[in-house]
Amino acid sequence: MEDGVTATQVVFWILAVVMLVSAIGVVTAGNIVYAALFFIASLAGVAGIYLILTVEFIALVQLLIYGSAVVILILFALMLTRARERPQALFGRSRPLGIAASLGLLAALIGGIVATTWTTPESSSAIQPVGLQAIGDAIFTIWIVPFIIVGVLLSIALDGAIMLASPDEDDN
Amino acid sequence: MPPLDHILIVNAVLFAIGAMGVLTRRNAVLILLSVELMLNAVSLNMVAFAVYGHVDFGNITGIIFAFFIIVIAAAEVALALGIVVRTFRNRATANVDEVNLLKW
Amino acid sequence: MVLSEFAGVSMPDWIDALLRVMFIVALMTIMAFALIYLERKILARFQARVGPTRTGPIGTLQSIADALKLVTKEDVRPITADRWAFELAPYMAFVPVFLVFVPMPFTETWFIRDLNLGLLFVFGVLGLNIVGVVMAAWGSDNKYALLGGVRAAAQAISYEIPMLLIIVAVVMVAAGRIAVDGDASAAGSINAIVGDQTTTPYILLQPLGFFIFIVGMLAELHRPPFDMPIAESEVVGGYFVEYSGMRWGMFFLAEYTALFLLVVLASSLFLGGWNWPFGADVGLGLQIVLTFVKTSVMIVLVIGSRALFPRLRIDQLMAFSWKVLLPFAIIQVLANGIILAYGGADWVVGLVSFGLLVALGGLVYYVMRRKQGEGTRTVQTTPATPRVITSPEVTPVEAGGD
């Protein structure tokens, strides 16, 4: 059992490194499309960590929604805004300030995490994988109202996005 | 299973990287990408808490939260990109610091 | 379990898994070669030619000759192309398609892993290959490639949605039939769905679902009438126009592998896969024959579509997905929900779905007729009178020609 735990941890750290390195790629890449491609790698890392946490459902939803839909939308937007034809500064004037602020945020978060004592179950056998049936039951009983509201929100967002992106009929 | 605080630290780093992207980038699409990174960090945190049983409502709530975050992120991306495309059409720029007029 | 069933040996899990993966890889390669040969032969027959005959007996070695040519060809990268996007794109397009074979059941026990979330896995991972397409399109630094890639992505997203909804409808039907003590979590597993079709293939329960799935499949595969992304007369070759040699071959391989994959999926979901009509007790040999007969028939239909249908326009393609397929898929899900919630019998589900399919056909026919009428009206209102006079003489000839 102890051996298996270590293997999971090794995989976790590999995924974490992939995820964080590509996240750094997203925020520092000099090319906009590279940033989007790094974003995909980062998402894959997140999906892998979901798998390690035994929630396959969320991992697959992540792949389905982020991996294909969101990334394609973003690449579309990059092409529609003609990213490649205008080489330009990708960073704002406040870059040093932004870096400092995010480092401060990181320090505060890590400080909080380290200061708190977290209890981890001793072995992975103490963790019950959440079944698909349980997730379905929860969504369609306890969380049914938020679920319906999310549905309405999605259709409104769909309409709104079409309204925003479609050309005006009166100004040619 | 990795200990909970390792997962939390990784997520905190991811969140901070996302925040750095939001604060330093000037292209709207790249800012959106960074926001997505932050959202991912948060939903990973939710799932970690849920799986390790740190939520009072039983260990499924965090998973449901992650699910809702992902779904809403999709809606948010569609809308935000619609706005970016519209702004680009009107102002010929996707940089947030050049969109500085309320009316023109 | 692949080997142990024949030899009666037990083996560790990882060797078993490795054997299964190797089986799938071998199968996939053979199928891709066979499909390329078949496509050339079948298309040739449709066009009153004979196709390849010189390489090997009746041209059967043609695909191998093609592959040899591709391998020995120079791998050209345009000087303005983006290096990383251009070189990684074929892998991004190919690997997801290969991964999706994991939950595909060829017989009752021949699959890599039977996943409870198999259907979600298929669509979640298959969607990633669009990323490869868009990378190729952008990385090539070519207007035609970019246009083709954007078309491919728009098309894939549009047709994935009705397809996913129809999968939901199928799983709803399956859940009611598979559920044990109210636990229906096995209904997302492709093998469980096939296992349920001993007497009734789901095409009888969900004919509309089968139709939408086939249409979506043709669109995902860039097959006519949905081949705008790779239309030679419009965008030269589409997103892989700048590729040559083995990188081009990988796009080709991905396309044919996806064809085989989606055909296996369609036959599993709607035609009873290895199960219908003989049941699970006939043994592995007959089951695999059954799978291959069903997939072969569908492959011939898919390849034949290339000779039978003209190409749509991109706006027609979008309109068909968003204005016809999507509403009907939503209605199908709602109808299934209502019928199943009130304990309706299987034949009610099938009848309603068939009614919806007829309604879809009727709607499309009506709209097409009305559009046609509009077309003739605009012709008549134009001042160019000779056209109107000659048109009655021309039309019968054209109709006769068809």
Side-chain angles (χ1 to χ4, degrees):
Chain A
M1 196 67 226
E2 198 56 39
D3 196 20
V5 169
T6 326
T8 319
Q9 285 188 7
V10 170
V11 176
F12 167 76
W13 279 109
I14 293 172
L15 285 172
V17 167
V18 168
M19 181 177 89
L20 294 179
V21 168
S22 24
I24 290 173
V26 174
V27 297
T28 57
N31 181 322
I32 291 185
V33 176
Y34 280 5
L37 298 179
F38 274 125
F39 182 63
I40 301 171
S42 185
L43 291 181
V46 174
I49 293 179
Y50 282 137
L51 281 182
I52 284 188
L53 293 173
T54 70
V55 277
E56 297 91 351
F57 176 68
I58 297 294
L60 289 176
V61 168
Q62 165 102 358
L63 276 188
L64 188 69
I65 295 182
Y66 271 113
S68 43
V70 170
V71 165
I72 294 303
L73 274 180
I74 285 169
L75 287 172
F76 259 41
L78 291 179
M79 288 167 189
L80 283 176
T81 51
R82 273 175 267 158
R84 215 175 170 191
E85 292 171 17
R86 300 178 70 221
Q88 56 190 331
L90 290 170
F91 297 99
R93 278 191 304 267
S94 56
R95 189 181 184 190
L97 213 60
I99 293 174
S102 56
L103 284 179
L105 177 68
L106 179 65
L109 285 174
I110 289 186
I113 292 167
V114 172
T116 319
T117 46
W118 305 98
T119 51
T120 308
E122 277 80 43
S123 68
S124 53
S125 58
I127 293 167
Q128 298 287 328
V130 181
L132 199 53
Q133 182 91 16
I135 294 178
D137 280 347
I139 291 179
F140 289 109
T141 53
I142 311 171
W143 300 94
I144 184 65
V145 176
F147 187 74
I148 292 171
I149 293 173
V150 161
V152 175
L153 177 83
L154 279 179
S155 32
I156 293 173
L158 185 68
D159 292 351
I162 293 171
M163 283 291 294
L164 278 171
S166 60
D168 287 335
E169 280 168 11
D170 42 71
D171 64 35
N172 288 314
Chain B
M1 289 293 218
L4 181 57
D5 44 354
H6 291 187
I7 301 178
L8 292 185
I9 287 175
V10 168
N11 294 346
V13 176
L14 184 61
F15 189 86
I17 292 173
M20 188 171 94
V22 173
L23 294 174
T24 56
R25 292 290 201 180
R26 63 201 283 256
N27 184 301
V29 180
L30 290 179
I31 291 178
L32 193 66
L33 281 183
S34 309
V35 171
E36 293 301 320
L37 284 182
M38 292 165 76
L39 282 176
N40 267 294
V42 172
S43 53
L44 254 182
N45 246 7
M46 293 277 185
V47 170
F49 281 133
V51 171
Y52 288 106
H54 274 277
V55 181
D56 291 336
F57 306 105
N59 72 352
I60 203 156
T61 312
I63 294 173
I64 307 290
F65 258 81
F67 172 74
F68 279 126
I69 289 174
I70 293 174
V71 173
I72 290 176
E76 171 226 316
V77 166
L79 273 182
L81 291 179
I83 294 172
V84 171
V85 170
R86 168 44 56 116
T87 314
F88 184 80
R89 210 176 273 152
N90 287 341
R91 308 289 320 254
T93 179
N95 291 341
V96 284
D97 52 355
E98 289 171 33
V99 186
N100 50 8
L101 289 180
L102 284 175
K103 198 176 175 187
W104 66 92
Chain C
M1 249 181 284
V2 175
L3 254 188
S4 54
E5 271 172 31
F6 292 121
V9 284
S10 60
M11 58 185 81
D13 269 356
W14 65 272
I15 295 183
D16 175 66
L18 206 65
L19 280 175
R20 283 161 189 255
V21 171
M22 280 162 60
F23 166 72
I24 296 295
V25 171
L27 182 78
M28 206 182 67
T29 320
I30 295 169
M31 280 314 288
F33 280 123
L35 281 175
I36 292 167
Y37 171 70
L38 270 179
E39 167 133 36
R40 298 181 71 154
K41 272 297 199 193
I42 294 172
L43 269 183
R45 286 295 166 187
F46 270 108
Q47 297 162 352
R49 296 182 285 120
V50 288
T53 52
R54 295 307 176 101
T55 25
I58 56 165
T60 36
L61 298 179
Q62 185 64 46
S63 325
I64 295 172
D66 286 348
L68 276 178
K69 186 203 81 173
L70 281 180
V71 172
T72 51
K73 226 173 156 179
E74 190 190 352
D75 184 21
V76 182
R77 175 158 53 84
I79 197 157
T80 51
D82 183 274
R83 182 172 175 189
W84 292 105
F86 186 84
E87 301 216 336
L88 290 178
Y91 303 98
M92 275 301 286
F94 178 71
V95 171
V97 179
F98 173 65
L99 277 181
V100 175
F101 271 100
V102 168
M104 286 293 156
F106 293 94
T107 76
E108 196 178 359
T109 48
W110 280 20
F111 40 76
I112 297 180
R113 282 286 179 268
D114 185 19
L115 305 172
N116 259 355
L117 287 164
L119 282 169
L120 194 58
F121 178 83
V122 167
F123 283 93
V125 177
L126 195 59
L128 292 179
N129 95 324
I130 303 300
V131 175
V133 169
V134 176
M135 271 168 80
W138 175 81
S140 301
D141 194 24
N142 178 316
K143 292 283 183 218
Y144 291 119
L146 192 60
L147 273 178
V150 170
R151 281 181 175 193
Q155 177 171 329
I157 291 187
S158 310
Y159 278 82
E160 216 163 65
I161 296 169
M163 247 171 133
L164 269 172
L165 278 173
I166 229 59
I167 296 292
V168 169
V170 170
V171 171
M172 283 164 88
V173 173
R177 297 162 63 97
I178 293 173
V180 184
D181 301 329
D183 181 4
S185 49
S189 144
I190 300 170
N191 205 25
I193 287 179
V194 181
D196 183 51
Q197 304 181 49
T198 313
T199 52
T200 329
Y202 281 0
I203 185 174
L204 295 179
L205 300 177
Q206 298 283 298
L208 176 72
F210 184 66
F211 173 74
I212 292 182
F213 191 91
I214 294 297
V215 172
M217 185 174 99
L218 290 176
E220 296 267 314
L221 295 169
H222 314 140
R223 288 272 161 181
F226 306 111
D227 63 338
M228 286 73 90
I230 52 170
E232 285 92 350
S233 54
E234 297 170 20
V235 289
V236 192
Y239 50 85
F240 45 66
V241 62
E242 292 288 1
Y243 284 85
S244 61
M246 214 44 225
R247 289 183 198 283
W248 182 82
M250 286 189 74
F251 279 113
F252 211 55
L253 200 61
E255 203 147 289
Y256 280 94
T257 310
L259 165 63
F260 180 53
L261 173 104
L262 284 176
V263 162
V264 171
L265 184 62
S267 86
S268 304
L269 288 181
F270 294 102
L271 301 180
W274 47 262
N275 202 334
W276 181 79
F278 299 124
D281 302 328
V282 292
L284 283 184
L286 203 53
Q287 281 179 1
I288 199 148
V289 169
L290 210 53
T291 308
F292 275 85
V293 167
K294 285 171 185 170
T295 51
S296 307
V297 170
M298 291 187 59
I299 283 170
V300 171
L301 288 179
V302 170
I303 291 177
S305 78
R306 194 163 154 184
L308 294 173
F309 296 118
R311 185 178 297 143
L312 290 177
R313 283 197 323 258
I314 189 92
D315 61 315
Q316 293 170 329
L317 164 118
M318 287 302 191
F320 188 57
S321 172
W322 290 100
K323 295 180 186 168
V324 180
L325 294 185
L326 183 62
F328 273 92
I330 292 174
I331 293 172
Q332 174 74 81
V333 171
L334 289 179
N336 278 359
I338 293 167
I339 296 169
L340 295 169
Y342 288 101
D346 281 346
W347 64 267
V348 182
V349 177
L351 204 65
V352 169
S353 181
F354 188 71
L356 283 173
L357 179 60
V358 172
L360 191 153
L363 182 76
V364 172
Y365 180 73
Y366 173 73
V367 171
M368 301 277 275
R369 280 302 290 267
R370 221 183 49 181
K371 288 246 160 134
Q372 233 171 11
E374 277 171 14
T376 29
R377 266 202 301 281
T378 48
V379 168
Q380 279 166 351
T381 48
T382 47
T385 38
R387 242 188 189 168
V388 182
I389 293 164
T390 51
S391 61
E393 293 164 28
V394 173
T395 352
V397 177
E398 276 176 357
D402 287 339

